[in-house]
Amino acid sequence: MRAYRFALDPSDAERAKLARYAGACRWAFNYALAKKTQSYRAWTERRTAYLAAGLSEAEAKAGIKADGAELTDRIKVWDHHRKSLMNTATGKQPLPAMPPPAGQEALACRLAAARADAAGTGCERRLLAEARTTVNALKTEAFSAGYRTPNATDTSALWRMERDRPKEEGGSPWWSEVNVYCFTYGFERAQAAWKNWQDSLAGRRAGRRNGYPRFKKKDRTAESFSLFHDVKRPIIRLDGYRRLVMPGLGSIRIHDTGKRLARLVDRGQAVIQSVTVTRGGHRWYASVLARVQQHVPVLWEHIDDDGTRVRHLTRPQAENAAENGGRIEQIGRPSARQRAGGLVGVDLGSRYLAALSSPLDPADPTSALVPHPRLLADSTAKLAKAQRTLSRRQPGSRRRAKAAAQVARVHHQIKVRRASFLHGLSKKLATRFTHVAIEDLNLTALTASAKGTSDKPGKNVKVTARFNRHLLDAALGSLRSRLAYKTAWYGSQLVILDKAEPLASTCAKCKERNPNSAPSRSTFHCPSCGAVVHRHENSTANIVRAARRQLTTVASDRGETQNARRAAVSPGARKGPGQGALKREDTG
């Protein structure tokens, strides 16, 4: 799956229609979140009542579940009845009989008899409408009582019941003016936000704690929406090379050319799945998602103990499959240019965006140090002027809206230039080396504020804030995410080192650690061997050594164990993963 992003060039009427579609998606998100919040508050009130009665948290949750068991079972029976009628109406295979829950045997028998009596009489449509109404009514009762939270499908069903109501009663009588996928996509986004919060609250989601989903306010959130179509009868398509056709929006001109995607579609090598339209600053963008047939130079094959072969795009995917047995093998090989580059260690830091163990261009040794583009710093004066103009405008006036658009335009220009720079650097690293090794940096902790509290104020707050702004401007996390998929595309491999690797405090020559070495110094002094080298050279050498150790370490259940020359122990065995991928002088 690949996304092709095009900058749109809409007219004023088309721009207004795009904003209307984005507003409908935002309204749908808020509608779904309101339904979820209402159900969650009802559940919280029930839990609070049980806790006040002296029950524990687990007992309170069990009591709420027991209270709604009878209503939940009725919903299951009626929903099975609805699905059976739906399959009959659409000509699909009938559903197998469902064992009725305890206490619902009479209802299940009555509904089964109704389906049998209506078979072949043309009354299925009437029963189906009755079943839908009953299911939605029962679910609404369960939602209002706090027994369950509506998901995206439930929210869509509730919206279809209420969409024709007046606006004052929570309806959306204007729904026919936009594509219906704007609403369904908004419901799905609300469901994803709710799930992320629940998983983060329960500890099932890694990373920073996700807060409670917030309502989206107009002019305070990113405008976007997604449209879909039937791939057998495509509506989303390129009209020539300079126009994009989308359902409900018609043909809209694009700034750049769509020749690459159009030719893939004409040759049958790409099938368009959907399009996501977003607004960035003063521009509207369309990201066309397509399923593309693409040549991948290197694949990783997992061979199970019974001989079953499954190919994976990256080595970690194959290694995860081999945890339960079997071995992995490399299919294909990197290009000659990549094999000449071998393994490169990349030290992402503050003085330079990236310090490399090998130069990007062998003929230019200075290309081993990639300076920061400093896009935010170069645009600080322009951004400050735009923000001063904004602060002087009257709130709610047209001139303030115009000044706000200018501030957004400057921010968007910085974002586009940063993305272009990172795309170029990540592609060079992925196409010129077989392995790209980087550190697993904790950017959240690295850019944390040092302000402290009123009782314990921080030290060097201004210096730390300037340093954090510098690192955030570099967007090191975006560089890593681009390397993750581009290395798989171009046949190289991304090696992410463990956070516990002492790279900055270890001497690359004698391998002795120097914990007292200050990271702020530009040179590294080793008290053991007396070596004095540039800190970036020392770090990149340690990254290369750690990456080589990580690549040569093969577990007993992940293929043939390799010897000191990176050859398989068994002379007749096929080459193991990574065999022949490094230069001879890099193998030590």
Side-chain angles (χ1 to χ4, degrees), residues 91-281:
K92 297 181 181 179
Q93 293 291 335
L95 291 178
M98 181 189 72
Q104 303 297 327
E105 293 83 358
L107 176 61
C109 292
R110 181 170 63 84
L111 295 179
R115 290 197 301 271
D117 295 339
T121 62
C123 298
E124 290 90 348
R125 296 287 182 180
R126 180 180 57 80
L127 288 180
L128 179 59
E130 178 186 352
R132 284 174 175 170
T133 304
T134 305
V135 169
N136 291 334
L138 292 175
K139 285 184 177 181
T140 302
E141 182 182 352
F143 299 151
S144 59
Y147 294 140
R148 57 185 294 177
T149 304
N151 55 26
T153 305
D154 299 332
T155 306
S156 181
L158 294 176
W159 171 72
R160 285 183 170 85
M161 295 174 57
E162 302 174 356
R163 64 187 181 185
D164 294 325
R165 296 179 181 177
K167 182 179 178 181
E168 294 74 13
E169 299 180 10
S172 53
W174 44 266
W175 67 271
S176 59
E177 299 178 7
V178 299
N179 192 286
V180 71
Y181 282 117
C182 295
F183 296 96
T184 56
Y185 182 65
F187 300 152
E188 292 174 358
R189 290 171 62 178
Q191 178 64 24
W194 188 269
K195 184 177 183 301
N196 291 339
W197 171 64
Q198 291 282 350
D199 292 345
S200 180
L201 197 64
R204 296 187 297 268
R205 181 181 174 88
R208 184 187 299 179
R209 177 67 62 87
N210 279 46
Y212 189 87
R214 295 180 293 180
F215 291 95
K216 295 183 180 295
K217 186 179 180 181
K218 186 179 180 180
D219 298 331
R220 299 286 293 178
T221 184
E223 297 185 64
S224 66
F225 61 92
S226 290
L227 302 175
F228 305 85
H229 69 164
D230 185 359
V231 295
K232 296 181 180 179
R233 293 177 293 177
I235 302 177
I236 305 172
R237 65 186 186 278
L238 283 167
D239 184 8
Y241 294 155
R242 297 299 299 272
R243 303 192 72 87
L244 179 64
V245 180
M246 293 177 284
L249 296 171
S251 177
I252 299 180
R253 182 179 172 83
I254 60 178
H255 275 286
D256 41 3
T257 178
K259 181 184 295 185
R260 185 179 179 187
L261 176 59
R263 289 185 172 180
L264 289 174
V265 173
D266 293 340
R267 292 196 296 261
Q269 298 177 357
V271 178
I272 296 177
Q273 305 288 321
S274 64
V275 59
T276 299
V277 181
T278 58
R279 182 181 179 182

Side-chain angles (χ1 to χ4, degrees), residues 460-531:
N460 299 326
V461 177
K462 292 185 178 180
V463 177
T464 305
R466 190 181 302 112
F467 174 77
N468 292 347
R469 190 182 306 112
H470 185 57
L471 282 183
L472 293 173
D473 184 23
L476 302 181
S478 298
L479 178 60
R480 171 175 169 175
S481 63
R482 286 168 170 80
L483 284 172
Y485 67 84
K486 289 188 179 182
T487 50
W489 283 359
Y490 299 114
S492 53
Q493 182 178 342
L494 179 63
V495 182
I496 300 177
L497 305 181
D498 191 80
K499 294 181 181 179
E501 288 285 351
L503 301 174
S505 60
T506 302
C507 179
K509 294 186 177 180
C510 66
K511 314 301 184 296
E512 292 292 332
R513 292 192 61 185
N514 182 17
N516 298 325
S517 176
S520 59
R521 296 181 179 178
S522 59
T523 56
F524 179 84
H525 299 263
C526 180
S528 300
C529 64

Side-chain angles (χ1 to χ4, degrees), residues 379-415:
S379 302
T380 300
K382 186 177 181 180
L383 183 60
K385 181 180 178 180
Q387 289 177 332
R388 282 196 302 269
T389 304
L390 176 63
S391 65
R392 294 166 182 165
R393 297 293 181 254
Q394 185 70 23
S397 64
R398 290 187 178 181
R399 299 183 71 185
R400 182 177 179 85
K402 186 177 180 180
Q406 179 61 26
V407 173
R409 182 174 187 145
V410 176
H411 277 293
H412 179 65
Q413 290 174 346
I414 296 173
K415 179 181 177 180

